[in-house]
Amino acid sequence: MIYEKEECTIFKKDAIHDPVIYIVSDSVGETAEVVVKAAASQFDGQPIEIRKFPYVEDEGTINELVLAAKESEAVIALTLVIPKLRDHLKAVAKEHGVTVIDIMTPMIQAMEQISRKQPKNQPGLMRQLDEEYFKKVEAIEFAVKYDDGRDPRGLLRADVVLIGVSRTSKTPLSMYLANRRLKVANVPLVPEVEPPEELFMVPAKKCVGLTISPDQLNVIRRERLKALGLTSQANYASLERIMHELEYSEKIMKRINCPVINVSNKAVEETANLILGIIKNRGS
């Protein structure tokens, strides 16, 4: 059995107590906690008390923790990445005969050796990485939910709104940009369907229009029809229809006054980089 206490004050020694592990970290202490619990699982349900001391940032606190660990006959598991604090804790613990397990340093030193790079020695980077991951997941979910104009309410919450006729890579671009943690919505422009009113409420600097050459769009749409098992002669792929759609989309883009990118012969990555450049410039 494992039970935890996250401490702001120092414990007094109990007359009788279960084995105690102090987790000392200059961040949250999640890494040490996982390792301690994994080790504890090897001892057939032996009760072990975990006392967590996150965000340790000064030598005075370390001195108090070491003395308390000595009094509690505790082992200290540390994930201090700031060398000065880490070395101080080890020195004070050695002076008082307290066992210290340094969880991070051996791995950091090994990676430093094989990478030939210096570590940042900055607390909390793992949590920042986790936050970046969840931002990416959130952006991908957003792109799926607001793809192809499904819900116009998302337009006002988007970082970027892509507009254009069918087959101008709106969806692939939305997903690519979502992997850059941008919330992207896209709206197809069809002459017979009035764009949602929310589109005209979005600031022009957040909109990007996508256009393409009629001939290339004709080829793309014919191939799309073949893939669906339909005749390539359908109106969807006719040059007359394509010209009509492109003229209509141009009017909408001019009305919004947004930047326009011609995606003809461009890979998704190339167009995405152009969009990222537009986003960067709009903030300057």
Side-chain angles (χ1 to χ4, degrees):
M1 179 177 66
I2 301 170
Y3 49 97
E4 304 174 22
K5 292 182 179 179
E6 187 165 317
E7 302 304 336
C8 298
T9 58
I10 304 303
F11 277 84
K12 298 296 182 182
K13 181 181 177 182
D14 301 323
I16 300 175
H17 61 76
D18 297 320
V20 179
I21 307 292
Y22 276 32
I23 291 178
V24 181
S25 176
D26 41 23
S27 184
V28 179
E30 291 174 338
T31 302
E33 183 178 4
V34 170
V35 174
V36 169
K37 287 182 176 180
S41 70
Q42 300 297 316
F43 291 88
D44 296 325
Q46 162 67 49
I48 295 176
E49 180 180 345
I50 296 176
R51 298 179 182 174
K52 293 172 65 178
F53 300 87
Y55 304 111
V56 174
E57 299 176 340
D58 62 90
E59 294 181 357
T61 300
I62 287 174
N63 295 341
E64 293 180 18
L65 286 171
V66 171
L67 291 174
K70 180 180 181 180
E71 193 173 349
S72 300
E73 299 176 355
V75 169
I76 296 177
L78 70 89
T79 51
L80 297 171
V81 298
I82 299 175
K84 181 181 178 181
L85 294 179
R86 183 177 65 229
D87 294 344
H88 180 77
L89 188 151
K90 288 181 178 179
V92 176
K94 183 177 181 180
E95 180 183 342
H96 292 281
V98 177
T99 300
V100 173
I101 307 300
D102 186 345
I103 292 172
M104 292 282 285
T105 302
M107 191 70 238
I108 290 175
Q109 289 176 341
M111 293 187 69
E112 180 181 359
Q113 184 176 0
I114 63 173
S115 69
R116 297 181 177 84
K117 293 183 179 180
Q118 292 295 312
K120 292 183 176 181
N121 295 323
Q122 179 181 337
L125 292 181
M126 186 64 186
R127 177 165 286 271
Q128 290 179 23
L129 289 174
D130 288 343
E131 289 174 355
E132 291 300 302
Y133 170 77
F134 287 116
K135 285 180 181 177
K136 181 188 292 188
V137 171
E138 183 181 2
I140 291 172
E141 290 176 346
F142 186 95
V144 171
K145 183 174 182 178
Y146 299 111
D147 181 45
D148 208 29
R150 290 176 187 168
D151 186 346
R153 293 174 297 180
L155 300 180
L156 299 176
R157 295 173 47 216
D159 298 316
V160 184
V161 176
L162 304 179
I163 58 175
V165 301
S166 174
R167 315 312 297 176
T168 48
S169 300
K170 295 185 298 299
T171 297
L173 284 167
S174 295
M175 298 307 299
Y176 186 97
L177 293 170
N179 275 279
R180 298 293 188 93
R181 299 175 297 281
L182 290 170
K183 293 181 179 179
V184 185
N186 70 76
V187 178
L189 298 179
V190 183
E192 293 79 14
V193 180
E194 183 70 19
E197 60 182 22
E198 289 87 351
L199 178 60
F200 302 104
M201 298 166 63
V202 176
K205 65 181 182 180
K206 284 192 173 186
C207 287
V208 177
L210 304 174
T211 190
I212 190 171
S213 72
D215 290 339
Q216 185 171 352
L217 185 55
N218 174 254
V219 172
I220 293 171
R221 287 191 174 183
R222 287 171 64 184
E223 290 300 317
R224 176 61 176 166
L225 289 171
K226 286 181 183 178
L228 294 173
L230 302 172
T231 173
S232 61
Q233 303 303 314
N235 186 48
Y236 174 72
S238 72
L239 276 174
E240 182 180 358
R241 171 66 186 185
I242 286 171
M243 292 299 299
H244 178 51
E245 288 188 29
L246 289 174
E247 289 172 3
Y248 173 76
S249 68
E250 184 180 358
K251 289 178 182 178
I252 297 295
M253 293 172 194
K254 285 183 177 179
R255 179 178 168 185
I256 296 172
N257 194 30
C258 63
V260 178
I261 297 174
N262 191 321
V263 302
S264 302
N265 301 312
K266 286 186 175 66
V268 168
E269 295 82 359
E270 184 180 358
T271 305
N273 285 331
L274 291 173
I275 294 171
L276 291 170
I278 291 171
I279 294 170
K280 183 178 179 180
N281 290 334
R282 81 186 183 193
S284 58

